[in-house]
């Protein structure tokens, strides 16, 4: 008899979601994680005494468009979400404006600041909310070859579907320009769309802007105590249903015999057997753990890209003080800090040349404004995400150029909040090299693979592997950001993979288990 029914390799949030559903279905689950804590890029630790730092994603948005939290009863396992409203503050440094959960309030405030732009914002939401909802539905299911058609059918009722399709196929920068004439409104919306990776000029990228209405649908939230609150709750859910979670347990290889996954071998030499293995790690890490004969060429040809972003996580002795901003609202939501679209495009141009961005647009996160457990009284935890930063540099190395890139991020933030550097009492600098070394994010890409149209939906990670099964190896499954729907804190990949896994196993052994109990109707 195998040691487990299901072994899960890696403990990122999607891997934990798959494990939690499998354990809830009555399967004997073992999770093996190489780091000392679970969560991967969705984890939190006290890096500086008194300050809790997230290691990766911090804003929980898309997961609220899934049933994961409800179905796995994560609030019962200690997950406590704090609502973030306003969700975003946008600014060029001179004129801030806010995106509230209430779209009407957002539009009214915009109209007062920039006549005509509030009306344009309402018009944009009216036109694209159906599309955004259809995208969310597609995220919550295994991808298919007709996904684009499904989006058009569900979002085009009563509309000119040909015009809709034309916009979807265009660069998101062009679509933003159709609606918003004011640069100070358009640039932050484009900057938020750029968080998926492709620049505003890439064809077929419009959906990264067009799912903006989802932010008003699900809102923005933060787990109390840090982003890792989600993955800690997932671990408790797994263990409550009899699963086991092992940390400091790096997997060396996936054992395959007779074309079937048999289990894993750890770097320590220990072997654990299972009826099925789920890899929640990067697809290239999965490939490296398999015998060469079971790795198709397509698995080695996925496009990871050349880095992406860089994060500066700061412990401050004082609260952030923005100039020309409304307090405390500017500290609550995600700061979309960008001077203009040219700033973004200049940064992308430097990235293409192999150079770190010298004047980056920023996403500023000071969630200690809504969660006093992140910093001591009077202090602040401030995290600055910047784009774009190549993994491979045209000159030097990250060992020699980290200080320079750090200074440029701080200098860029000083435009919005002068004097911040004088309050720094501790920090964590996450370059693309750091992200690869410490979080297993190949070449520093937080999305695992580039989020271009040829690597999304049924093309992610490649077509033959898009249904969360590794082709040619029976009993080997995939989950995580390398699979549909990609990166970000959503959990949809974990849930989708669990549906495939549990269906395969229950058809063979557990027909009597009710589908309602699994939460997988």
């Amino acid at each position: 008899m195998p040691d487990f029914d299901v072994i899960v390799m890696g403990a990122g949030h999607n891997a934990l979601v798959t494990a939690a559903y499998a354990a809830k279905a009555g399967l004997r689950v073992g999770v093996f994680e190489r780091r000392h804590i679970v969560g991967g890029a969705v984890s939190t630790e006290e890096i500086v005494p008194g300050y809790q730092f997230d290691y990766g994603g911090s804003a929980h948005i898309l997961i609220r468009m899934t049933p994961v939290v409800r179905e796995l009863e994560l609030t019962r396992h200690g997950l406590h979400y704090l609502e973030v409203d306003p969700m975003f503050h946008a600014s060029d440094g001179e004129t801030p404006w806010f995106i509230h959960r209430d779209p009407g309030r957002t539009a009214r405030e915009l109209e007062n600041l920039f006549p005509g732009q509030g009306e344009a914002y309402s018009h944009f939401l009216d036109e694209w909310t159906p599309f955004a909802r259809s995208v969310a539905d597609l995220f919550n299911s295994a991808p298919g070859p007709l996904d684009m058609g499904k989006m058009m059918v569900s979002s085009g009722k009563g509309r000119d579907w040909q015009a809709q399709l034309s916009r979807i196929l265009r660069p998101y920068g062009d679509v933003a320009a159709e609606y918003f004439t004011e640069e100070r409104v358009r640039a932050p919306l484009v900057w938020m769309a750029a968080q998926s990776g492709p620049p505003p000029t890439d064809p077929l990228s419009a959906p990264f802007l067009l799912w903006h209405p989802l932010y008003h649908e699900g809102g923005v939230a933060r787990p109390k105590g840090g982003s890792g609150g989600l993955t800690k709750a997932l671990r408790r859910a797994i263990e409550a249903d009899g699963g086991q979670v092992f940390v400091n347990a790096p997997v060396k290889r996936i054992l395959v015999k007779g074309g079937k996954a048999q289990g894993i071998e750890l770097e320590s030499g220990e072997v654990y057997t299972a009826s099925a293995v789920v890899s929640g790690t990067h697809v290239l890490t999965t490939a490296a753990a398999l015998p060469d004969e079971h790795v198709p060429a397509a698995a080695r040809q996925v496009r990871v890209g050349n880095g992406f972003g860089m994060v500066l996580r700061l412990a401050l002795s004082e609260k952030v003080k923005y100039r020309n901003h409304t307090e405390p609202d500017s500290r609550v939501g995600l700061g979309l800090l960008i001077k203009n679209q040219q700033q973004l495009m200049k940064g992308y141009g430097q990235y293409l040349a192999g150079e770190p961005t010298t004047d980056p647009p920023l996403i500023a996160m000071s969630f200690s404004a809504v969660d006093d457990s992140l910093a001591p009284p009077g202090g602040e935890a401030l995290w600055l995400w910047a784009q774009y930063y190549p993994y491979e540099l045209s000159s030097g190395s990250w060992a020699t150029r980290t200080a320079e890139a750090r200074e440029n991020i701080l200098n860029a933030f000083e435009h919005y909040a002068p004097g911040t550097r004088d309050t720094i009492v501790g920090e964590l600098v996450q370059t693309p090299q750091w992200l690869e070394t410490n979080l297993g994010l190949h070449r520093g890409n937080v999305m695992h693979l580039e989020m271009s149209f040829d690597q999304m939906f049924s093309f992610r990670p490649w077509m033959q592997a898009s249904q969360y099964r590794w082709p040619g190896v029976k009993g080997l499954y995939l989950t995580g950001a390398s699979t549909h729907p990609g990166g970000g804190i959503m959990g949809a990949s974990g849930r989708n993979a669990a549906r495939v896994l549990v269906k395969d196993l229950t058809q063979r052994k557990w027909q009597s288990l009710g589908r309602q109990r699994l939460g997988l109707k």
Side-chain angles (χ1 to χ4, degrees):
M1 181 178 180
D3 299 310
F4 298 98
D5 297 318
V6 178
I7 282 176
V8 179
M9 174 181 167
H13 81 287
N14 278 298
L16 293 173
V17 167
T18 300
Y21 277 112
K24 189 174 183 179
L27 303 175
R28 294 177 300 122
V29 176
V31 179
F32 294 82
E33 165 58 39
R34 71 180 181 91
R35 296 174 70 218
H36 63 288
I37 56 173
V38 301
V42 186
S43 55
T44 306
E45 276 198 302
E46 187 174 342
I47 302 297
V48 178
Y51 295 83
Q52 298 290 331
F53 279 14
D54 292 343
Y55 279 111
S58 295
H60 291 223
I61 303 173
L62 293 177
I63 193 170
R64 292 156 67 83
M65 303 302 297
T66 78
V68 167
V69 172
R70 172 179 54 81
E71 289 177 347
L72 294 177
E73 303 176 279
L74 296 183
T75 54
R76 187 165 66 86
H77 296 290
L79 176 62
H80 174 51
Y81 270 126
L82 302 170
E83 296 295 326
V84 174
D85 197 4
M87 302 184 294
F88 306 96
H89 77 269
S91 181
D92 61 352
E94 303 296 334
T95 310
W97 59 278
F98 297 91
I99 300 177
H100 303 275
R101 178 72 183 274
D102 179 356
R105 179 180 177 185
T106 303
R108 289 191 298 273
E109 291 185 2
L110 259 181
E111 191 67 22
N112 288 335
L113 275 174
F114 310 107
Q117 299 304 281
E119 182 180 348
Y121 191 82
S122 294
H123 180 54
F124 173 76
L125 294 183
D126 288 344
E127 286 212 330
W128 291 106
T129 293
F131 173 84
R133 289 171 179 164
S134 70
V135 171
D137 289 342
L138 291 175
F139 285 171
N140 284 301
S141 60
L146 302 177
D147 286 340
M148 184 64 77
K150 290 178 182 177
M151 283 191 293
M152 294 313 306
V153 169
S154 58
S155 66
K157 294 176 182 177
R159 292 175 171 83
D160 182 350
W161 68 269
Q162 292 176 321
Q164 296 275 92
L165 179 59
S166 173
R167 285 170 171 165
I168 291 170
L169 298 177
R170 295 174 66 187
Y172 62 83
D174 289 2
V175 177
E178 287 184 20
Y179 288 89
F180 304 103
T181 57
E182 171 57 60
E183 175 79 13
R184 288 171 291 181
V185 175
R186 184 174 63 250
L189 298 177
V190 166
W191 174 219
M192 188 61 190
Q195 299 311 297
S196 293
T201 52
D202 264 20
L204 306 174
S205 64
F208 297 129
L209 172 73
L210 299 179
W211 69 44
H212 179 92
L214 291 179
Y215 305 141
H216 291 288
E217 298 268 306
V220 178
R222 279 280 302 167
K224 178 73 173 178
S227 197
L230 169 65
T231 47
K232 289 176 183 176
L234 283 165
R235 177 177 184 170
R236 294 188 196 104
I238 293 165
E239 293 174 336
D241 282 319
Q244 294 178 262
V245 179
F246 304 85
V247 295
N248 297 310
V251 174
K252 181 178 182 180
R253 63 172 56 96
I254 299 169
L255 305 176
V256 181
K257 184 177 180 181
K260 185 183 185 306
Q262 302 283 318
I264 58 170
E265 179 187 349
L266 302 183
E267 289 186 1
S268 64
E270 296 173 86
V271 171
Y272 293 88
T273 58
S275 300
V277 175
V278 181
S279 178
T281 64
H282 195 289
V283 64
L284 293 180
T285 303
T286 307
L290 284 167
D292 286 345
E293 64 268 26
H294 295 296
V295 182
R300 305 185 194 279
Q301 293 167 358
V302 294
R303 288 188 303 100
V304 177
N306 185 27
F308 185 6
M310 176 173 166
V311 195
L312 184 57
R313 301 190 185 273
L314 302 173
L316 306 181
S317 60
E318 301 175 9
K319 306 294 185 185
V320 173
K321 295 182 179 66
Y322 287 95
R323 64 183 182 93
N324 300 327
H325 280 241
T326 303
E327 301 298 344
D329 283 357
S330 59
R331 296 175 46 245
V332 171
L334 288 84
L336 305 178
L337 308 182
I338 181 170
K339 298 171 184 174
N340 48 51
Q341 279 184 244
Q342 287 69 37
Q343 183 187 20
L344 176 59
M345 295 310 299
K346 180 180 178 181
Y348 189 70
Q350 291 175 311
Y351 161 82
L352 291 178
E355 287 294 305
T357 309
T358 54
D359 181 27
L362 303 170
I363 301 287
M365 293 164 280
S366 50
F367 291 123
S368 44
V370 296
D371 183 358
D372 58 11
S373 70
L374 299 182
E380 188 97 285
L382 172 68
W383 306 319
L384 302 174
W385 164 269
Q387 289 172 221
Y388 289 90
Y389 293 85
Y391 173 82
E392 289 185 25
L393 297 164
S394 58
S395 63
S397 67
W398 277 111
T400 60
R401 301 195 67 179
T402 294
E404 166 198 342
R406 171 198 179 272
E407 280 301 301
N408 286 335
I409 292 175
L410 276 178
N411 289 338
F413 189 65
E414 290 281 312
H415 172 71
Y416 303 93
T420 299
R421 65 169 64 247
D422 298 330
T423 67
I424 298 172
V425 295
E427 64 185 52
L428 173 64
V429 182
Q430 296 174 298
T431 66
Q433 182 67 64
W434 190 100
L435 294 170
E436 179 181 72
T437 302
N438 292 276
L439 296 180
L441 298 168
H442 285 250
R443 296 175 65 82
N445 189 342
V446 297
M447 298 292 181
H448 282 205
L449 310 178
E450 289 192 323
M451 295 279 286
S452 53
F453 191 78
D454 64 314
Q455 291 193 143
M456 293 185 66
F457 297 110
S458 57
F459 301 113
R460 193 174 187 91
W462 72 95
M463 187 168 286
Q464 290 76 15
S466 64
Q467 299 301 300
Y468 307 98
R469 299 183 185 92
W470 187 275
V473 180
K474 188 176 181 181
L476 179 57
Y477 298 83
L478 298 173
T479 189
S482 294
T483 67
H484 171 76
I489 303 172
M490 190 175 190
S493 170
R495 182 176 182 269
N496 294 343
R499 292 175 68 132
V500 174
L501 169 73
V502 171
K503 182 179 179 182
D504 286 354
L505 295 184
T506 57
Q507 282 182 341
R508 192 164 63 249
K509 293 183 179 179
W510 291 277
Q511 284 282 11
S512 61
L513 275 173
R515 301 294 290 169
Q516 186 172 7
R517 181 189 173 212
L518 305 183
L520 299 172
K521 296 179 185 178

